[in-house]
Amino acid sequence: MTLDTLDTPAALIDLPRMERNIALMQERMNALGVRFRPHVKTSKSIDVVRAQIAAGAQGVTVSTLKEAEAFFDAGVRDILYAVGIAPSKLPRALALRKKGCDLKLLVDNTTTAAALARFGQEHGETFEVYIEVDTDGHRSGLAPEQDALLEVGRVLHENGVRVGGVMTHAGASYELHTPDSLAACAEQERAGCVRAAERLRGAGIPCDVVSVGSTPTALSARKLDGVTEVRAGVYVFFDLVMYNVGVCTLDDIALSVLTTVIGHQPEKGWAIVDAGWMAMSRDRGTSAQTMDFGYGLPCLLDGTPLPGYRMTGANQEHGILCAVKLDPSENTASSDIETRLPIGTRLRILPNHACATSAQFPEYHVVLASGDVAVWDRFYGW
């Protein structure tokens, strides 16, 4: 199988790039002296995760119980479910633990903590739970100094639940784009999560693990004193959002969508391709950043970006490529669009958000260093 014979659209992994990304992140975590627990929601692929574990990762982070079930079935035992557990999902979590899965759950409120404690008592199970800490106001979790942090800890600890640690995610780092601001965000994340752990310990509540992480902060932290593990996910592929954040180059982006030019609108300067938002996703994460890539960045088949071109529009199965004037002196005349991108031309489109784009596909086509293409499965659902 080669890129010339593959049906389009298709999700491509550039294997040498992915392997380099994995190796560099693991080397950085080793140098900082912390355990690395990759977030596997990005790939949802057993083959990708095996490469991460082979490089030195210890355990995985998941965002769905389906991921937990699939990776446990594949032999991964140490799993953190890093989304606040809904009480209705506790039977599935219990089933995994009864099979031998070292599954950790997450809470950030006393209502769920009490429900989890009751369920554990009723079923004779000692769950291990992390408390989610909010270090940047980005999403969920409890602030390090909130009284509720200790209240949740007590509800768990006094009712037979093991408080395994605290966990935070610096999602606000995606909004930054300078080394100093990213380093400051990483330090805020570290200090806040360590402080939460110290408060719990001071109240007599065990808290062994201090878990932090996002791809930008993992790559920008200058010290991780008091942290025991780091989580990151999108680093394995990278994407255009991460390029704008400043933590990767275009040459680091390992995921792309293979597409074919199927038509033109010369008077509009458009080339039409067979990858629309069903292939790229509707994620427009770069629209609020320093450079807007539309729905993606078109590249030649060898991965070389097409200067000045963007996927500026997308319908369900149609993508619209056109030249974008990035500088007033640039000539974006459209008269050569049919010559430049004739029907049948195959292109790679780099995505805004690797997690969202990969989620559109049932499998990856993995481009080896030799140019040969292999197929790796991925899975859907919750």
Side-chain angles (χ1 to χ4, degrees):
M1 197 184 322
T2 67
L3 296 184
D4 292 324
T5 60
L6 211 57
D7 280 344
T8 57
L12 304 182
I13 294 176
D14 184 309
L15 186 60
R17 290 186 182 188
M18 186 196 82
E19 291 177 335
R20 184 176 72 233
N21 295 340
I22 290 172
L24 290 174
M25 178 64 85
Q26 189 64 54
E27 288 169 9
R28 178 170 174 77
M29 295 301 100
N30 293 346
L32 286 166
V34 293
R35 182 172 63 245
F36 184 52
R37 181 190 292 277
H39 207 315
V40 298
K41 67 172 183 175
T42 299
S43 70
K44 295 182 188 279
S45 167
I46 303 299
D47 294 289
V48 173
V49 171
R50 284 177 178 149
Q52 292 170 305
I53 291 174
Q58 298 178 50
V60 300
T61 312
V62 301
S63 59
T64 70
L65 285 176
K66 184 168 184 178
E67 291 169 37
E69 291 159 350
F71 287 110
F72 177 67
D73 287 345
V76 181
R77 183 173 179 273
D78 182 359
I79 300 175
L80 169 63
Y81 175 37
V83 175
I85 183 74
S88 61
K89 295 178 181 178
L90 288 170
R92 281 178 75 184
L94 176 64
L96 272 168
R97 288 185 61 87
K98 292 295 187 184
K99 291 178 182 178
C101 181
D102 184 11
L103 179 68
K104 291 98 168 158
L105 303 178
L106 187 70
V107 301
D108 72 348
N109 61 82
T110 55
T111 300
T112 301
L116 192 155
R118 284 194 303 272
F119 185 87
Q121 291 168 348
E122 291 167 0
H123 292 84
E125 177 66 25
T126 302
F127 284 100
E128 181 176 353
V129 174
Y130 290 10
I131 300 174
E132 185 168 10
V133 179
D134 176 12
T135 53
D136 61 6
H138 173 71
R139 196 164 56 195
S140 51
L142 299 166
E145 300 295 342
Q146 264 186 273
D147 292 340
L149 176 75
L150 300 186
E151 293 170 9
V152 170
R154 290 191 185 100
V155 168
L156 295 169
H157 180 59
E158 294 173 3
N159 289 281
V161 178
R162 180 186 171 197
V163 180
V166 287
M167 188 214 86
T168 192
H169 168 64
S173 63
Y174 281 48
E175 302 164 8
L176 307 175
H177 59 87
T178 67
D180 286 346
S181 64
L182 288 167
C185 184
E187 174 56 19
Q188 177 178 304
E189 178 186 48
R190 182 204 69 82
C193 206
V194 169
R195 173 59 179 156
E198 290 171 344
R199 290 191 67 217
L200 287 165
R201 293 167 188 154
I205 301 166
C207 183
D208 293 335
V209 175
V210 177
S211 180
V212 305
S214 72
T215 288
T217 54
L219 293 171
S220 303
R222 294 171 182 169
K223 65 175 184 177
L224 287 174
D225 299 353
V227 170
T228 63
E229 74 173 24
V230 170
R231 308 172 328 281
V234 75
Y235 82 95
V236 72
F237 294 152
F238 284 122
D239 53 29
L240 295 171
V241 166
M242 290 295 101
Y243 171 76
N244 275 339
V245 170
V247 294
C248 72
T249 68
L250 293 179
D251 289 337
D252 295 324
I253 300 177
L255 181 74
S256 60
V257 173
L258 181 69
T259 189
T260 304
V261 176
I262 59 173
H264 302 93
Q265 292 285 353
E267 69 283 0
K268 297 178 181 178
W270 291 358
I272 310 298
V273 296
D274 64 354
W277 56 254
M278 280 294 286
M280 301 305 304
S281 88
R282 279 195 178 277
D283 193 298
R284 290 280 288 105
T286 62
S287 63
Q289 294 184 308
T290 53
M291 184 173 293
D292 185 357
F293 286 97
Y295 285 88
L297 177 65
C299 300
L300 299 175
L301 206 53
D302 66 2
T304 304
L306 281 169
Y309 280 80
R310 300 284 185 271
M311 179 180 277
T312 56
N315 300 123
Q316 185 163 336
E317 300 296 347
H318 295 76
I320 298 170
L321 309 186
C322 69
V324 177
K325 185 177 288 191
L326 304 177
D327 183 284
S329 65
E330 287 183 341
N331 178 14
T332 60
S334 61
S335 58
D336 67 342
I337 192 75
E338 294 173 284
T339 302
R340 183 76 189 275
L341 299 175
I343 289 175
T345 299
R346 294 196 159 212
L347 302 169
R348 296 191 196 191
I349 312 294
L350 301 183
N352 286 321
H353 186 181
C355 304
T357 296
S358 63
Q360 309 303 305
F361 295 88
E363 61 191 9
Y364 296 111
H365 288 83
V366 182
V367 185
L368 312 181
S370 64
D372 293 332
V373 178
V375 178
W376 288 357
D377 289 335
R378 69 180 310 282
F379 51 85
Y380 291 93
W382 289 265

